[in-house]
Amino acid sequence: MVTLFKILLVVMIITIGMMIVSILKGPSTFDRLNGILVISTDIIVSLLLIGLIDGRMDMYIDIAISYAILGFLGTVFIADFLKGGNKKNER
């Protein structure tokens, strides 16, 4: 099973590399934001795979949950910024 987890970890790292290329070459801001979200999800899965390989799943679950919360909040703030922020209507 550990060999399978290591192979999946390598696949996740390759996916992160492809998304970095997508972020750098993305034709629009939303494509780049989507690449950032995929990288965030892949990092969470990679953390859990490292926990399975290391045998300390309890520690890595806490780190992955914290990273997921921070990633979600970052996405909300970036989406709010792209929308235009909290501009008040001027008369």
Side-chain angles (χ1 to χ4, degrees), residues 1-83:
M1 279 307 272
V2 174
T3 306
L4 175 66
F5 294 147
K6 288 181 181 179
I7 292 171
L8 290 174
L9 187 61
V10 169
V11 170
M12 286 292 136
I13 292 171
I14 291 170
T15 307
I16 290 171
M18 291 184 338
M19 285 297 113
I20 289 173
V21 171
S22 173
I23 289 172
L24 295 176
K25 292 185 176 183
S28 71
T29 306
F30 297 108
D31 291 331
R32 292 179 175 154
L33 181 62
N34 189 27
I36 291 172
L37 294 173
V38 170
I39 287 175
S40 176
T41 304
D42 287 346
I43 288 175
I44 293 168
V45 172
S46 297
L47 281 171
L48 295 175
L49 286 172
I50 291 170
L52 287 171
I53 293 168
D54 192 31
R56 296 279 319 258
M57 191 66 175
D58 54 345
M59 180 178 75
Y60 286 99
I61 285 179
D62 294 338
I63 295 170
I65 290 172
S66 301
Y67 189 83
I69 291 170
L70 290 174
F72 173 74
L73 290 176
T75 303
V76 169
F77 290 136
I78 291 172
D80 187 45
F81 176 75
L82 292 176
K83 183 183 75 168

